[in-house]
Every structure is written in structure tokens, then in C-alpha cells.
Amino acid sequence: MSKMWIVALTVALTIGGVRIIEGPEIERVDPDFAIVRWTSTNPGGSPVHQGVVHYGTDSEKLIQTAQSPVRLNPNHPSTVFRVRLNGLRPRTTYYYRVDSRDAAGKDDGLKSQLQHFTTR
Amino acid sequence: MRSITAGVVVALTGVGAACALSGKRGAAERQPDASAFVDAAAGAGDAQAIYDPYPPGILPSDLDAEIGRVLREIDSIERQAIAEWHALTPPTVAGNPPIAQGTGAASIELLGKLMNYDKSMSPRRNQACASCHMPYVAFSGPIPSVNLTMVAYSGTSYFRAGKRTAQRYTYSPFFPVLHYDEDQKAFIGGNFFDSRATGYLLRNPDSEQALHPPVDPEEMGFPDIACVAYRLSHAEYRSLFEQVWGEGSFDIEFPTDTESICATPGGAAIFGGSATPIPLGPGDRTRATVVFDRWGQSLDAFEQSAAVSSFSSKFDAFLAGKARLSADEAAGLKLFDGKANCNSCHLDGRGTTLKTGQTDTSTKAGVQPLFTCFGSANLGLPLNPRVAFYYEDKPDSVGQIGNPLGFAYRDLGLGTFLRNGLGAGPSPSADWTQYAQATDGQMQTTTARNVAMTPPQCPTTEAPGPYFQKEFFHNGYIKSLKQLVHFYNTRDVYKYDVTSGHCPPGTTEKVDCWPKPEVPNNMDMTMGNLGLTDNEEDQLVAFLQTLTDGFTRPYVDAGTFTGQCMSGGSAKTQGNELLIPTPPLPPCAPGVCGVAPVPSPAIP
């Protein structure tokens, strides 16, 4: 039972933080709505974590933030984060970076590249 | 009394059987077996005026017949419980502190059972706890047509109903006292979907839970908690109560007009808002309150007993190494723990997710898993416009209005409770109010155990059956387990910006169209796009069906259903013939969304 958990823990220790394994990418994009999705090593800690997306139309100024809760599965080596972005403007390009936080608001220390998407 | 006229065909036969929603008004004959209903209503001495603010089609056509059926089933179980009690050897009190040695445990469990099936525990002697919680559906709602239409069950004032599904109460006694966990930054425990039965005083949420229905005007509806002590003092099983809780328990001087006060439903205008219309001196008031607490504790004993929370499912047998899961069930378990990630919330005490070729070698769970984390989440369910509560904006015969807000009401679950809000009542901790915004829309993670339990003659919840129509989640929007799993799997894939009943042409609601959530705040994103195939969904359903008690030994009173099964149709669209268009929704009322700290972002 604890085998995978130990693997995840070791990985986290060697790399020295939570690491993105897949994404971030756009799961779905509408004229006014998008879902950003990524998979990271399981950050552990409080069962509920928040996925956070910093975004904006100026790549230098990601002034908006969206966050959505996910529940960690202590038995899974990795965690899928998905965040809802509401109230977007149609046919507009948005730039974004992601991170995640534990329930107390403590940053999991993710490093994510600047990405972009365009609404429909 | 008028006949119930909205035409809902209950016994569906054949695929796509028409459920006429109109054109039947006035046509339905009252069925002969509705007599139990008439007797019950007349029990209080006056025939009650029926409360019916509902547009045609909201109430099912067989409602009074079905209430009558359930009352007969309740009476017959109560008779048997009385016989069981007479057959029970009284315990011997021994030791210090004194213990009722031998049959003390059996006595309190039986006392709780007698209370559960006692319909005199309502002003009009027409409703017991069991009216909404029958054993053949793991103590959830026993009326298929109600589950299919109005969602909530009528209380003692026919047909005034609440706003949520009648929850299964198997395993409810195992929930801890509600508390804010500083490490998890989350609320854990309590009973009810919004955790409002906290257990802060009795130190047990389930005992406290049993104190709510007797004085909830949408349920058993007494005007005063002392009515429970009064009616118990006249119960056939009074001496059992005294044996369990002490001689002299009922040494209370009730005024002569107590019966007439207790025969009048709570909330009646004549009480002028008083919660204590029976004038009792302080000593008698305290004794009556103690009896009321004992009522809660006795019901908790019943609910925790092996007759209710029995840990006798196929999955329990599998954990004990005494049963093998079928290929589909085993695949479903693997999905539950792995790809579908259900056990991040419905903790099952199992090991890690398995890769192809691996076997589960985790040691047997030390305690039997309860399939809940005791925490809450907002799954983003659409508003269900069939819920009876939305239509209760007119006064009933005693002058009470169930829901003055009509469709401006929104069910914010835990968030509303933390604000002492409408429909949830006072919270015992002002410290909790600050967390209201973070919990708007959250409902407690129900145990997945017994979700599939049905009476033996209708062996499944799933069309084409023969099946027993249940309803799922707090607002009954989901009508089959296939739909339940499909919702988790595809909520965000087939997301449409519409309300229920308005899916775009070319789509089918619940198949490839999910209407927008009632409460968009704090929506959980663990689920919503799981990437499961149709077959994998079916495997999860097969696994959920292994969680039904009664596999290793018979489930007590499981065979008491005397109604009819349904058949025909498909589990994917089960109940869809009764979808109604949600009316244009007024904004969330200030009475719900204007209470500080106000929801953020604002709820539409």
C-alpha cells in the first residue's frame, strides 16, 4: 500500500519540490470559458489543494487569478489539477502560468512555463 | 379531501413508455388503498386541509396511495417490533456504574426501532421517521414516484415537503462530531448534507440529527420538543423506555391541553413563533428535554445496530477473503481507486492504484471502510426544478409558508449553515462563519455504501429492470447509478450554459448535455472529465452494487416492500421523460446570498 507513496516521496525529495509531469494544457476552451489542466507529482499534505492559474491578455502582466479545488489521493503518485476560468472574452489570447497550493495557501513550489491560448 | 391528479405513470412498461404529464388532471381515481391515508389524517380528529400550491405534474398521481402503502408497511414492522420486545428477556442491572447486563444493548436498539416506526410521533399521527427512511432501500426514500418527481417527501402536513432527498441513514452514526480540522483546513463530520446536525451537545451528530425531524415543519412537525416526551409517555412501549432510561423519566406535569397543542403542526400562526407553546415549569421543561435527548440517543442506537449498519456487503466479504469479485466488479474497484479517483473522497481503505498485471496485496483494512472522508465538496449539480420546495411560496392551512423565496432560493449547503442561514438553522459556533465563502455549494460526502440497495423483488436501481426507482445526490437530479457515474465522468465534457430542461436540440440531457451548476462556487475539479469509457462506467456501477448490505447475512426487514417495481427504458435516460423546463431563474435572494460573509464571487 505504501510502496507508491514512498516512490512519490523519493521523487519529491530528489527533485526538491513538486514537479509538473504533464501539461499545463487547455482541456476545453469556449468563447467565455476555459479549463486548464496539468499533472504534477503528488504534493502531499492537506487533502484539498487548489490549482491556481495566473492569467491575463498581456504576457508581462498576469493580473488575474483563477483557482479550483481538487482532492489529493494519498495512494496516487501523481495528481491531476484542473482549473476553471470563467468570464473570458471571446476570440482573445490569454497568457498564463500555473501553480498549486495546500489548504492553508502554502505554495507547492511549481515551476511552470508561460503558456497561451485563444478563446473561440 | 381532493384526489391527487397530476398524471405520472408509475409502473413504466416498455421502452419509452409515455409518462403523461398533462391531460390527466381530475381523471385519476383515488385508489382503494388510500384508506390508510384517510384514517391517518383523521387520527387527529379533524380532516386536514391538503396543501397544494403545486402546478400540475409536480406531485405524482399515486402520492396518497403510496403514503398509505408505506404507513401500512410501517405499522406491520412496528407490530413485529412490539412482539420482539415482549419476547426479550429484561436485562439485570449490575455493577457500579450500573450496567443493564445481558440484554441492555438489545433493549436500547429495540427501543430505537420502536421509535423509528412509530407514526404517533407527529401531530396528526400520520408520520414516522420510517415514512422517509425504509429498510428495503437502506433507510432512504421508499416511494418510487416521489423519487422520480417531487424529490422531497411530504411531512405531517400533506403535501408540504422539504428541499432535499431523504438520505440513507445506514452508517450515519459513524460520523464524528462536526469540527474544523486545522491541518486539513476543512470541516469534518456532522450529519445531514450540510452537516448541520453537529453533535456539539450530545457529542454525537447522529443522536442530534434525530432531534431535528420531530420539530421540522416539513417533516414530523411538532410545535414543541416536549410533545415527543408527551407522546412517548402514552406509547405502548413506554415501560421499555423507562427500563432503559430510568423510572420516573416521565414525571412531568403536562397541562391538560397538551394533546391539542401537540396535534397542531409547528410553525402554525397561533403559536406566534414560540418554540415552547406547552407551558411547563423549569424542572418539567428540563425533564422533557432529557427525554427528547434520550429519544435521539435511542434512535442512534438503532441506526448503529447490525439491523441498520450491518457491514454485510459482498465487498465486506471480499475484504475478509470470503468472496470473489466478478471480473466487472474487480475492474470497477480498480477504477474506483485509480483512473476514476473516487476514493480520494470515498475512502475505501484499499491500497494504491494498480497497473496492468499487478494484484492488490495491501493488507486487510483494520477497520471496515465507510466510503466517505466525512468532508464536503461541491459537485456542481444543476438546479432541479422538480424539487417541491420551490413551489411552496404560499401559506398552508395553518398559515406557514415553507419557502417564501420560491425559485430565488439556492441551496448553498454547508455555506448557508455556517451563516446560520435559511433552511439550515443556527450554528453553534460563531468561529465557523468566516469559512462560509469557502464552503458555499458544498454537501457532505455521502457514504457510497448501500447506494444500490433495493427491495428483493426489484433487484436493481437501473432500467430496464425490473427496477426500483431511487434518486441520487442531495437534490435527486440523478435517477440511476449509470447517470451518477456518467456525471462524474463527463460533467465538464458536456457542459452547457443552460438550466435543466433546456439542453440544445440534438443533445440529450444527462447523456451529452449537463446543465450549468446551481452553485458555481468552489466546484470540485477532481471529477468532471475522467476519460472513462462506457464500459468502464458500467464496471463502476457493478462495483457500487457490491456495497449493498445483506450479502453475508439477510438484511433485517429488507422484504417489507409491498409496492410495485418499474421496468422498461434505459438507465442512461431513466426519468428523462419527466424533465421539466426550469423557469427563468430570479437572482439568488438576499435571504440566502445576501447574508454576511456574502458568497464570492456572487452567485447568479
Side-chain angles (χ1 to χ4, degrees), chain A residues 50-89:
Chain A
Q50 299 281 339
V52 183
V53 175
H54 305 275
Y55 65 103
T57 49
D58 180 343
S59 62
E60 307 282 295
K61 295 195 194 103
L62 307 183
I63 50 175
Q64 283 173 289
T65 324
Q67 61 175 49
S68 297
V70 301
R71 236 190 118 87
L72 306 185
N73 191 321
N75 298 317
H76 289 196
S78 61
T79 302
V80 177
F81 285 90
R82 301 169 61 241
V83 177
R84 306 171 84 83
L85 275 58
N86 290 297
L88 303 177
R89 287 205 308 261

mmCIF file of all heavy atoms in Angstrom, chain A residues 50-89:
data_model
loop_
_atom_site.group_PDB
_atom_site.id
_atom_site.type_symbol
_atom_site.label_atom_id
_atom_site.label_comp_id
_atom_site.label_asym_id
_atom_site.label_seq_id
_atom_site.Cartn_x
_atom_site.Cartn_y
_atom_site.Cartn_z
ATOM 1 N N GLN A 50 -5.522 23.577 -3.990
ATOM 2 C CA GLN A 50 -6.087 24.447 -5.003
ATOM 3 C C GLN A 50 -5.129 24.509 -6.188
ATOM 4 O O GLN A 50 -3.936 24.777 -6.000
ATOM 5 C CB GLN A 50 -6.265 25.882 -4.459
ATOM 6 C CG GLN A 50 -7.193 26.012 -3.260
ATOM 7 C CD GLN A 50 -8.667 25.993 -3.630
ATOM 8 O OE1 GLN A 50 -9.031 26.257 -4.777
ATOM 9 N NE2 GLN A 50 -9.524 25.673 -2.669
ATOM 10 N N GLY A 51 -5.678 24.238 -7.378
ATOM 11 C CA GLY A 51 -4.919 24.542 -8.583
ATOM 12 C C GLY A 51 -5.098 26.028 -8.864
ATOM 13 O O GLY A 51 -6.207 26.553 -8.726
ATOM 14 N N VAL A 52 -4.020 26.710 -9.232
ATOM 15 C CA VAL A 52 -4.106 28.167 -9.426
ATOM 16 C C VAL A 52 -3.602 28.515 -10.825
ATOM 17 O O VAL A 52 -2.566 28.011 -11.261
ATOM 18 C CB VAL A 52 -3.263 28.913 -8.362
ATOM 19 C CG1 VAL A 52 -3.426 30.423 -8.526
ATOM 20 C CG2 VAL A 52 -3.670 28.488 -6.957
ATOM 21 N N VAL A 53 -4.343 29.344 -11.526
ATOM 22 C CA VAL A 53 -3.903 29.842 -12.829
ATOM 23 C C VAL A 53 -3.810 31.366 -12.746
ATOM 24 O O VAL A 53 -4.782 32.034 -12.387
ATOM 25 C CB VAL A 53 -4.880 29.423 -13.950
ATOM 26 C CG1 VAL A 53 -4.464 30.051 -15.275
ATOM 27 C CG2 VAL A 53 -4.948 27.913 -14.072
ATOM 28 N N HIS A 54 -2.611 31.902 -13.044
ATOM 29 C CA HIS A 54 -2.429 33.360 -13.151
ATOM 30 C C HIS A 54 -2.525 33.671 -14.631
ATOM 31 O O HIS A 54 -1.788 33.079 -15.432
ATOM 32 C CB HIS A 54 -1.057 33.770 -12.616
ATOM 33 C CG HIS A 54 -0.811 33.301 -11.210
ATOM 34 N ND1 HIS A 54 -1.236 34.002 -10.105
ATOM 35 C CD2 HIS A 54 -0.226 32.180 -10.741
ATOM 36 C CE1 HIS A 54 -0.906 33.338 -9.013
ATOM 37 N NE2 HIS A 54 -0.293 32.230 -9.373
ATOM 38 N N TYR A 55 -3.394 34.585 -15.022
ATOM 39 C CA TYR A 55 -3.569 34.803 -16.459
ATOM 40 C C TYR A 55 -3.872 36.264 -16.763
ATOM 41 O O TYR A 55 -4.179 37.065 -15.866
ATOM 42 C CB TYR A 55 -4.663 33.887 -17.013
ATOM 43 C CG TYR A 55 -6.061 34.162 -16.465
ATOM 44 C CD1 TYR A 55 -7.006 34.851 -17.234
ATOM 45 C CD2 TYR A 55 -6.433 33.718 -15.203
ATOM 46 C CE1 TYR A 55 -8.283 35.095 -16.749
ATOM 47 C CE2 TYR A 55 -7.708 33.957 -14.712
ATOM 48 C CZ TYR A 55 -8.625 34.647 -15.491
ATOM 49 O OH TYR A 55 -9.881 34.890 -15.002
ATOM 50 N N GLY A 56 -3.751 36.602 -18.046
ATOM 51 C CA GLY A 56 -4.022 37.963 -18.487
ATOM 52 C C GLY A 56 -3.769 38.054 -19.984
ATOM 53 O O GLY A 56 -3.203 37.126 -20.585
ATOM 54 N N THR A 57 -4.197 39.154 -20.578
ATOM 55 C CA THR A 57 -4.027 39.299 -22.025
ATOM 56 C C THR A 57 -2.646 39.871 -22.375
ATOM 57 O O THR A 57 -2.232 39.852 -23.517
ATOM 58 C CB THR A 57 -5.125 40.229 -22.600
ATOM 59 O OG1 THR A 57 -5.175 41.419 -21.801
ATOM 60 C CG2 THR A 57 -6.485 39.556 -22.560
ATOM 61 N N ASP A 58 -1.949 40.388 -21.364
ATOM 62 C CA ASP A 58 -0.593 40.894 -21.555
ATOM 63 C C ASP A 58 0.369 39.883 -20.933
ATOM 64 O O ASP A 58 0.279 39.593 -19.735
ATOM 65 C CB ASP A 58 -0.488 42.255 -20.849
ATOM 66 C CG ASP A 58 0.897 42.878 -20.983
ATOM 67 O OD1 ASP A 58 1.860 42.142 -21.320
ATOM 68 O OD2 ASP A 58 1.013 44.088 -20.736
ATOM 69 N N SER A 59 1.278 39.356 -21.751
ATOM 70 C CA SER A 59 2.148 38.293 -21.248
ATOM 71 C C SER A 59 3.040 38.766 -20.104
ATOM 72 O O SER A 59 3.584 37.972 -19.349
ATOM 73 C CB SER A 59 3.013 37.733 -22.387
ATOM 74 O OG SER A 59 3.845 38.769 -22.877
ATOM 75 N N GLU A 60 3.191 40.066 -19.963
ATOM 76 C CA GLU A 60 4.012 40.622 -18.879
ATOM 77 C C GLU A 60 3.208 40.813 -17.597
ATOM 78 O O GLU A 60 3.784 40.977 -16.531
ATOM 79 C CB GLU A 60 4.568 42.002 -19.285
ATOM 80 C CG GLU A 60 5.303 42.024 -20.600
ATOM 81 C CD GLU A 60 6.708 41.466 -20.455
ATOM 82 O OE1 GLU A 60 7.515 42.094 -19.749
ATOM 83 O OE2 GLU A 60 6.982 40.383 -21.023
ATOM 84 N N LYS A 61 1.897 40.871 -17.746
ATOM 85 C CA LYS A 61 1.059 41.174 -16.582
ATOM 86 C C LYS A 61 -0.053 40.132 -16.437
ATOM 87 O O LYS A 61 -1.140 40.290 -16.991
ATOM 88 C CB LYS A 61 0.417 42.563 -16.737
ATOM 89 C CG LYS A 61 1.395 43.710 -16.740
ATOM 90 C CD LYS A 61 0.642 45.029 -16.524
ATOM 91 C CE LYS A 61 1.521 46.225 -16.867
ATOM 92 N NZ LYS A 61 1.187 46.815 -18.179
ATOM 93 N N LEU A 62 0.212 39.095 -15.700
ATOM 94 C CA LEU A 62 -0.814 38.058 -15.466
ATOM 95 C C LEU A 62 -1.611 38.485 -14.237
ATOM 96 O O LEU A 62 -1.415 37.984 -13.138
ATOM 97 C CB LEU A 62 -0.142 36.702 -15.282
ATOM 98 C CG LEU A 62 0.835 36.292 -16.398
ATOM 99 C CD1 LEU A 62 1.385 34.899 -16.137
ATOM 100 C CD2 LEU A 62 0.150 36.342 -17.758
ATOM 101 N N ILE A 63 -2.482 39.466 -14.454
ATOM 102 C CA ILE A 63 -3.100 40.130 -13.297
ATOM 103 C C ILE A 63 -4.330 39.388 -12.753
ATOM 104 O O ILE A 63 -4.808 39.712 -11.683
ATOM 105 C CB ILE A 63 -3.481 41.585 -13.619
ATOM 106 C CG1 ILE A 63 -4.261 41.627 -14.920
ATOM 107 C CG2 ILE A 63 -2.261 42.503 -13.653
ATOM 108 C CD1 ILE A 63 -4.780 43.006 -15.274
ATOM 109 N N GLN A 64 -4.814 38.397 -13.499
ATOM 110 C CA GLN A 64 -5.995 37.705 -12.987
ATOM 111 C C GLN A 64 -5.625 36.331 -12.436
ATOM 112 O O GLN A 64 -4.639 35.724 -12.863
ATOM 113 C CB GLN A 64 -7.028 37.566 -14.099
ATOM 114 C CG GLN A 64 -7.762 38.890 -14.341
ATOM 115 C CD GLN A 64 -8.670 38.804 -15.549
ATOM 116 O OE1 GLN A 64 -8.191 38.749 -16.685
ATOM 117 N NE2 GLN A 64 -9.962 38.769 -15.293
ATOM 118 N N THR A 65 -6.432 35.872 -11.498
ATOM 119 C CA THR A 65 -6.174 34.564 -10.888
ATOM 120 C C THR A 65 -7.465 33.756 -10.861
ATOM 121 O O THR A 65 -8.527 34.298 -10.565
ATOM 122 C CB THR A 65 -5.726 34.700 -9.413
ATOM 123 O OG1 THR A 65 -4.914 35.859 -9.306
ATOM 124 C CG2 THR A 65 -4.981 33.491 -8.941
ATOM 125 N N ALA A 66 -7.362 32.486 -11.189
ATOM 126 C CA ALA A 66 -8.490 31.573 -11.017
ATOM 127 C C ALA A 66 -7.979 30.388 -10.226
ATOM 128 O O ALA A 66 -6.813 29.993 -10.370
ATOM 129 C CB ALA A 66 -9.011 31.117 -12.372
ATOM 130 N N GLN A 67 -8.829 29.850 -9.373
ATOM 131 C CA GLN A 67 -8.403 28.646 -8.654
ATOM 132 C C GLN A 67 -9.557 27.677 -8.479
ATOM 133 O O GLN A 67 -10.708 28.080 -8.403
ATOM 134 C CB GLN A 67 -7.776 28.997 -7.315
ATOM 135 C CG GLN A 67 -8.709 29.727 -6.343
ATOM 136 C CD GLN A 67 -8.031 29.909 -5.004
ATOM 137 O OE1 GLN A 67 -6.896 30.370 -4.927
ATOM 138 N NE2 GLN A 67 -8.739 29.538 -3.932
ATOM 139 N N SER A 68 -9.239 26.398 -8.468
ATOM 140 C CA SER A 68 -10.251 25.350 -8.274
ATOM 141 C C SER A 68 -9.689 24.259 -7.376
ATOM 142 O O SER A 68 -8.513 23.912 -7.490
ATOM 143 C CB SER A 68 -10.631 24.704 -9.618
ATOM 144 O OG SER A 68 -11.210 25.619 -10.492
ATOM 145 N N PRO A 69 -10.545 23.738 -6.481
ATOM 146 C CA PRO A 69 -10.070 22.701 -5.559
ATOM 147 C C PRO A 69 -10.004 21.311 -6.206
ATOM 148 O O PRO A 69 -10.851 20.969 -7.039
ATOM 149 C CB PRO A 69 -11.128 22.716 -4.452
ATOM 150 C CG PRO A 69 -12.370 23.244 -5.099
ATOM 151 C CD PRO A 69 -11.937 24.126 -6.224
ATOM 152 N N VAL A 70 -9.013 20.536 -5.834
ATOM 153 C CA VAL A 70 -9.019 19.094 -6.121
ATOM 154 C C VAL A 70 -8.670 18.381 -4.823
ATOM 155 O O VAL A 70 -8.067 18.972 -3.923
ATOM 156 C CB VAL A 70 -7.991 18.677 -7.204
ATOM 157 C CG1 VAL A 70 -8.248 19.380 -8.517
ATOM 158 C CG2 VAL A 70 -6.564 18.892 -6.733
ATOM 159 N N ARG A 71 -9.047 17.139 -4.754
ATOM 160 C CA ARG A 71 -8.722 16.338 -3.569
ATOM 161 C C ARG A 71 -7.625 15.359 -3.917
ATOM 162 O O ARG A 71 -7.748 14.576 -4.858
ATOM 163 C CB ARG A 71 -9.968 15.581 -3.110
ATOM 164 C CG ARG A 71 -10.315 15.869 -1.665
ATOM 165 C CD ARG A 71 -11.383 14.971 -1.132
ATOM 166 N NE ARG A 71 -10.842 14.201 -0.032
ATOM 167 C CZ ARG A 71 -10.824 14.618 1.229
ATOM 168 N NH1 ARG A 71 -11.342 15.758 1.563
ATOM 169 N NH2 ARG A 71 -10.298 13.857 2.170
ATOM 170 N N LEU A 72 -6.535 15.423 -3.172
ATOM 171 C CA LEU A 72 -5.417 14.519 -3.427
ATOM 172 C C LEU A 72 -5.809 13.102 -3.055
ATOM 173 O O LEU A 72 -6.560 12.885 -2.116
ATOM 174 C CB LEU A 72 -4.208 14.907 -2.573
ATOM 175 C CG LEU A 72 -3.705 16.339 -2.639
ATOM 176 C CD1 LEU A 72 -2.425 16.451 -1.818
ATOM 177 C CD2 LEU A 72 -3.461 16.766 -4.074
ATOM 178 N N ASN A 73 -5.245 12.171 -3.792
ATOM 179 C CA ASN A 73 -5.405 10.782 -3.416
ATOM 180 C C ASN A 73 -4.060 10.324 -2.861
ATOM 181 O O ASN A 73 -3.090 10.213 -3.605
ATOM 182 C CB ASN A 73 -5.796 9.958 -4.641
ATOM 183 C CG ASN A 73 -6.233 8.567 -4.247
ATOM 184 O OD1 ASN A 73 -5.649 7.974 -3.357
ATOM 185 N ND2 ASN A 73 -7.258 8.064 -4.906
ATOM 186 N N PRO A 74 -3.986 10.074 -1.544
ATOM 187 C CA PRO A 74 -2.686 9.772 -0.938
ATOM 188 C C PRO A 74 -2.022 8.551 -1.569
ATOM 189 O O PRO A 74 -0.803 8.401 -1.484
ATOM 190 C CB PRO A 74 -3.015 9.528 0.539
ATOM 191 C CG PRO A 74 -4.486 9.407 0.630
ATOM 192 C CD PRO A 74 -5.081 10.073 -0.566
ATOM 193 N N ASN A 75 -2.818 7.703 -2.217
ATOM 194 C CA ASN A 75 -2.242 6.499 -2.809
ATOM 195 C C ASN A 75 -1.757 6.701 -4.232
ATOM 196 O O ASN A 75 -1.233 5.780 -4.839
ATOM 197 C CB ASN A 75 -3.276 5.377 -2.796
ATOM 198 C CG ASN A 75 -3.683 5.016 -1.386
ATOM 199 O OD1 ASN A 75 -2.843 4.924 -0.503
ATOM 200 N ND2 ASN A 75 -4.972 4.857 -1.170
ATOM 201 N N HIS A 76 -1.980 7.866 -4.794
ATOM 202 C CA HIS A 76 -1.573 8.095 -6.178
ATOM 203 C C HIS A 76 -0.233 8.840 -6.213
ATOM 204 O O HIS A 76 -0.058 9.809 -5.478
ATOM 205 C CB HIS A 76 -2.613 8.931 -6.926
ATOM 206 C CG HIS A 76 -3.878 8.198 -7.211
ATOM 207 N ND1 HIS A 76 -4.801 8.636 -8.133
ATOM 208 C CD2 HIS A 76 -4.389 7.051 -6.719
ATOM 209 C CE1 HIS A 76 -5.826 7.792 -8.179
ATOM 210 N NE2 HIS A 76 -5.602 6.829 -7.328
ATOM 211 N N PRO A 77 0.674 8.401 -7.075
ATOM 212 C CA PRO A 77 1.964 9.096 -7.168
ATOM 213 C C PRO A 77 1.831 10.477 -7.803
ATOM 214 O O PRO A 77 2.684 11.330 -7.602
ATOM 215 C CB PRO A 77 2.805 8.167 -8.043
ATOM 216 C CG PRO A 77 1.839 7.296 -8.770
ATOM 217 C CD PRO A 77 0.612 7.199 -7.918
ATOM 218 N N SER A 78 0.788 10.689 -8.581
ATOM 219 C CA SER A 78 0.636 11.985 -9.245
ATOM 220 C C SER A 78 -0.765 12.539 -9.018
ATOM 221 O O SER A 78 -1.667 11.829 -8.588
ATOM 222 C CB SER A 78 0.897 11.839 -10.741
ATOM 223 O OG SER A 78 -0.050 10.950 -11.287
ATOM 224 N N THR A 79 -0.931 13.819 -9.296
ATOM 225 C CA THR A 79 -2.210 14.492 -9.077
ATOM 226 C C THR A 79 -2.572 15.311 -10.316
ATOM 227 O O THR A 79 -1.723 16.043 -10.839
ATOM 228 C CB THR A 79 -2.113 15.438 -7.863
ATOM 229 O OG1 THR A 79 -1.736 14.669 -6.720
ATOM 230 C CG2 THR A 79 -3.433 16.139 -7.583
ATOM 231 N N VAL A 80 -3.829 15.173 -10.748
ATOM 232 C CA VAL A 80 -4.306 15.978 -11.870
ATOM 233 C C VAL A 80 -4.954 17.241 -11.308
ATOM 234 O O VAL A 80 -5.856 17.153 -10.469
ATOM 235 C CB VAL A 80 -5.333 15.194 -12.718
ATOM 236 C CG1 VAL A 80 -5.864 16.082 -13.849
ATOM 237 C CG2 VAL A 80 -4.719 13.917 -13.259
ATOM 238 N N PHE A 81 -4.469 18.381 -11.742
ATOM 239 C CA PHE A 81 -5.091 19.661 -11.365
ATOM 240 C C PHE A 81 -5.886 20.178 -12.550
ATOM 241 O O PHE A 81 -5.437 20.073 -13.696
ATOM 242 C CB PHE A 81 -4.026 20.687 -10.974
ATOM 243 C CG PHE A 81 -3.437 20.444 -9.621
ATOM 244 C CD1 PHE A 81 -2.311 19.650 -9.469
ATOM 245 C CD2 PHE A 81 -4.018 20.994 -8.483
ATOM 246 C CE1 PHE A 81 -1.769 19.404 -8.213
ATOM 247 C CE2 PHE A 81 -3.481 20.761 -7.229
ATOM 248 C CZ PHE A 81 -2.353 19.971 -7.090
ATOM 249 N N ARG A 82 -7.055 20.714 -12.286
ATOM 250 C CA ARG A 82 -7.881 21.301 -13.348
ATOM 251 C C ARG A 82 -8.480 22.580 -12.789
ATOM 252 O O ARG A 82 -8.982 22.605 -11.673
ATOM 253 C CB ARG A 82 -8.973 20.320 -13.788
ATOM 254 C CG ARG A 82 -8.377 18.995 -14.304
ATOM 255 C CD ARG A 82 -9.428 17.907 -14.485
ATOM 256 N NE ARG A 82 -10.439 18.292 -15.446
ATOM 257 C CZ ARG A 82 -11.723 18.417 -15.157
ATOM 258 N NH1 ARG A 82 -12.171 18.181 -13.945
ATOM 259 N NH2 ARG A 82 -12.586 18.783 -16.080
ATOM 260 N N VAL A 83 -8.406 23.644 -13.540
ATOM 261 C CA VAL A 83 -8.881 24.941 -13.051
ATOM 262 C C VAL A 83 -9.844 25.557 -14.058
ATOM 263 O O VAL A 83 -9.592 25.546 -15.273
ATOM 264 C CB VAL A 83 -7.693 25.901 -12.793
ATOM 265 C CG1 VAL A 83 -8.184 27.278 -12.364
ATOM 266 C CG2 VAL A 83 -6.764 25.322 -11.737
ATOM 267 N N ARG A 84 -10.947 26.081 -13.541
ATOM 268 C CA ARG A 84 -11.960 26.729 -14.389
ATOM 269 C C ARG A 84 -11.665 28.227 -14.502
ATOM 270 O O ARG A 84 -11.479 28.892 -13.492
ATOM 271 C CB ARG A 84 -13.352 26.556 -13.782
ATOM 272 C CG ARG A 84 -13.725 25.129 -13.493
ATOM 273 C CD ARG A 84 -15.016 25.052 -12.702
ATOM 274 N NE ARG A 84 -16.179 25.115 -13.568
ATOM 275 C CZ ARG A 84 -16.682 24.068 -14.204
ATOM 276 N NH1 ARG A 84 -16.120 22.882 -14.072
ATOM 277 N NH2 ARG A 84 -17.746 24.200 -14.979
ATOM 278 N N LEU A 85 -11.656 28.709 -15.723
ATOM 279 C CA LEU A 85 -11.500 30.146 -15.968
ATOM 280 C C LEU A 85 -12.827 30.659 -16.511
ATOM 281 O O LEU A 85 -13.208 30.318 -17.632
ATOM 282 C CB LEU A 85 -10.376 30.410 -16.979
ATOM 283 C CG LEU A 85 -8.934 30.489 -16.456
ATOM 284 C CD1 LEU A 85 -8.515 29.221 -15.742
ATOM 285 C CD2 LEU A 85 -7.967 30.760 -17.611
ATOM 286 N N ASN A 86 -13.515 31.457 -15.727
ATOM 287 C CA ASN A 86 -14.822 31.977 -16.137
ATOM 288 C C ASN A 86 -14.697 33.411 -16.628
ATOM 289 O O ASN A 86 -13.722 34.094 -16.326
ATOM 290 C CB ASN A 86 -15.789 31.959 -14.948
ATOM 291 C CG ASN A 86 -16.188 30.555 -14.558
ATOM 292 O OD1 ASN A 86 -16.798 29.832 -15.333
ATOM 293 N ND2 ASN A 86 -15.823 30.153 -13.349
ATOM 294 N N GLY A 87 -15.688 33.876 -17.350
ATOM 295 C CA GLY A 87 -15.793 35.286 -17.708
ATOM 296 C C GLY A 87 -14.718 35.762 -18.671
ATOM 297 O O GLY A 87 -14.293 36.919 -18.622
ATOM 298 N N LEU A 88 -14.257 34.884 -19.570
ATOM 299 C CA LEU A 88 -13.243 35.285 -20.548
ATOM 300 C C LEU A 88 -13.892 36.041 -21.709
ATOM 301 O O LEU A 88 -15.106 35.952 -21.913
ATOM 302 C CB LEU A 88 -12.518 34.036 -21.073
ATOM 303 C CG LEU A 88 -11.838 33.153 -20.019
ATOM 304 C CD1 LEU A 88 -11.237 31.914 -20.670
ATOM 305 C CD2 LEU A 88 -10.786 33.937 -19.255
ATOM 306 N N ARG A 89 -13.058 36.764 -22.482
ATOM 307 C CA ARG A 89 -13.570 37.482 -23.659
ATOM 308 C C ARG A 89 -13.402 36.596 -24.891
ATOM 309 O O ARG A 89 -12.371 35.928 -25.043
ATOM 310 C CB ARG A 89 -12.791 38.789 -23.859
ATOM 311 C CG ARG A 89 -13.146 39.851 -22.812
ATOM 312 C CD ARG A 89 -12.885 41.259 -23.357
ATOM 313 N NE ARG A 89 -11.540 41.398 -23.888
ATOM 314 C CZ ARG A 89 -10.531 41.951 -23.223
ATOM 315 N NH1 ARG A 89 -10.708 42.410 -22.002
ATOM 316 N NH2 ARG A 89 -9.348 42.068 -23.782
#
